[in-house]
Amino acid sequence: MTKMSTQRVLVTGAAGFLGSHLTDRLLELGHEVIGVDSLVTGSSDNISHLKTNPRFRLITADLAQGLPPELKHQSFDRIWHLASPASPVGYVKQQIITLKVNALATIELLELAEKCRARIFVASTSECYGDPLEHPQKESYWGNVNPVGMRSMYDESKRFMEAAAMVYHRERGVDTRIVRIFNTYGPRLAVDDGRVVVAFIKQALRGEPLTVQGDGSQTRSLCYVDDEIRGFLLLMESPDYHLPVNIGNPDEVSVMQIACEIRELCGSKSEILHTPLPPDDPRQRCPDITLAKQLLGWQPTISRRDGLLRTIEYYRRKLGISAAA
Ligand code: UDP
């Protein structure tokens, strides 16, 4: 990565899973970071090690209620908009917050970016592809989303976020970047987040049944968080490119296989328990990362085995479990 000059940076969702890892990297690069987080799905534990860092400050605020007034008069070089519930369990519990933080807060942050001439990065999602009819998913695919379904507060507000970023870029010249994030895992996902990797690790370490929804033949492509964040930084600092870019690992795997691998790596004897598939659960998901390779020279480098081992180690410590049940 080319050396960057010091930046004044705003990170929304700084206490969340991706936001806290991103904040760590930005601070390592020497930048000054103002974080905003409501701590609804994020956790102060994720940033407790930053308490004494003079280049970091957290504003605890819910962006769904509007931008905190003190931010409106500040100037930034970069704005990263990562705040949002991101787990299907989480956004169904926080439906209106999810809508507002991805739609209303995005508009406010685009206007702030315009005012202070910041470059702004918005965190979109592979959910924009819905239950995809094209496989793997290229950025040019428009998706197959249920606009009134149980995930629509997330899928459609993220699609709106993308539309808003493009409008502010085209009409107002705002310097925007849009990432489409595919399933990402690693330390700092909340233990009760509900997403597949952390759910299975928790269950395997506790010797509880692994809850495979449906027959487990649905697929996902899992990206380790360090690879994902490296992609974010490259995209933010990439030359003028404003359309969405997929950042995810194309190593596609079935949910059943994820369960079996995690059980084995945890040394667990947990059984597999099939539970009902949630509505609108996508059958398959795999990014085409040709664009990220060409534009950013980015591709994932951490194997699923290594990433899972690192993640399991983190949850072993977090849950205080020394050996698997
Ligand atoms: N899943 C599962 N058991 C769980 C949690 C998730 O079988 O305890 C499945 C879920 O049905 C989906 C996949 O794992 O097919 C990924 O779900 P996740 O909630 O991680 O995110 P999504 O990719 O659906 O947004």
Side-chain angles (χ1 to χ4, degrees):
M1 193 174 298
T2 49
K3 185 147 173 36
M4 298 172 215
S5 54
T6 302
Q7 299 168 354
R8 191 155 197 278
V9 180
L10 176 64
V11 178
T12 76
F17 166 52
L18 293 175
S20 66
H21 284 282
L22 173 67
T23 297
D24 282 348
R25 285 293 296 129
L26 292 168
L27 292 168
E28 279 165 28
L29 289 166
H31 302 317
E32 182 192 343
V33 180
I34 308 284
V36 185
D37 205 295
S38 64
L39 303 177
V40 169
T41 53
S43 161
S44 49
D45 284 356
N46 290 342
I47 48 168
S48 56
H49 57 290
L50 303 179
K51 255 188 197 140
T52 54
N53 189 319
R55 285 183 288 109
F56 177 71
R57 186 160 76 88
L58 182 75
I59 299 172
T60 306
D62 177 6
L63 289 174
Q65 313 273 352
L67 217 54
E70 65 175 295
L71 283 183
K72 291 186 183 160
H73 309 293
Q74 294 198 38
S75 193
F76 297 98
D77 302 301
R78 299 283 185 270
I79 296 174
W80 299 81
H81 185 24
L82 270 60
S84 172
S87 131
V89 176
Y91 49 71
V92 168
K93 275 193 207 143
Q94 309 282 350
Q95 302 193 25
I96 292 176
I97 286 180
T98 302
L99 275 181
K100 287 187 170 176
V101 87
N102 289 316
L104 305 184
T106 296
I107 296 283
E108 286 194 278
L109 289 164
L110 285 163
E111 297 204 336
L112 178 63
E114 181 187 7
K115 199 166 112 191
C116 62
R117 295 174 184 272
R119 183 177 293 173
I120 179 168
F121 175 109
V122 295
S124 184
T125 168
S126 58
E127 290 285 330
C128 287
Y129 301 119
D131 191 6
L133 304 176
E134 181 181 306
H135 196 72
Q137 293 83 54
K138 284 195 192 74
E139 290 84 350
S140 54
Y141 176 50
W142 289 357
N144 177 38
V145 171
N146 177 353
V148 292
M150 286 312 293
R151 289 176 178 238
S152 62
M153 77 300 293
Y154 187 69
D155 302 4
E156 293 294 10
S157 65
K158 289 292 190 184
R159 287 165 68 100
F160 176 88
M161 169 188 260
E162 292 193 1
M166 290 311 299
V167 167
Y168 274 76
H169 171 66
R170 291 192 191 108
E171 204 170 301
R172 304 268 183 92
V174 178
D175 191 5
T176 49
R177 299 289 183 277
I178 304 172
V179 68
R180 287 193 185 140
I181 304 169
F182 284 66
N183 296 66
T184 307
Y185 69 99
R188 300 190 191 161
L189 273 165
V191 172
D192 294 321
D193 176 89
R195 270 176 282 184
V196 67
V197 169
V198 64
F200 288 168
I201 291 177
K202 183 177 73 172
Q203 292 161 343
L205 290 176
R206 289 181 174 161
E208 295 166 355
L210 269 57
T211 51
V212 170
Q213 293 169 347
D215 64 5
S217 63
Q218 69 272 31
T219 67
R220 293 295 185 271
S221 305
L222 303 179
C223 189
Y224 188 69
V225 63
D226 291 2
D227 277 330
E228 190 72 28
I229 298 298
R230 191 168 46 82
F232 285 12
L233 289 160
L234 286 166
L235 179 57
M236 179 62 121
E237 299 309 325
S238 66
D240 240 23
Y241 190 84
H242 307 284
L243 289 165
V245 180
N246 289 338
I247 298 286
N249 194 326
D251 181 18
E252 186 180 2
V253 61
S254 73
V255 166
M256 182 59 102
Q257 195 176 333
I258 299 171
C260 294
E261 284 179 11
I262 288 178
R263 183 170 61 175
E264 191 217 312
L265 293 173
C266 288
S268 167
K269 295 189 181 65
S270 289
E271 292 177 0
I272 302 284
L273 175 71
H274 289 277
T275 58
L277 201 60
D280 295 331
D281 193 90
R283 284 288 317 148
Q284 52 183 3
R285 195 180 284 150
C286 179
D288 180 318
I289 59 164
T290 309
L291 179 62
K293 280 185 186 163
Q294 286 170 352
L295 188 72
L296 313 174
W298 178 87
Q299 61 182 349
T301 58
I302 297 161
S303 69
R304 195 164 66 239
R305 185 185 165 83
D306 282 355
L308 286 176
L309 284 170
R310 291 184 207 184
T311 311
I312 290 165
E313 185 49 34
Y314 169 85
Y315 287 102
R316 246 191 231 290
R317 271 185 279 119
K318 181 132 187 127
L319 298 170
I321 298 173
S322 51

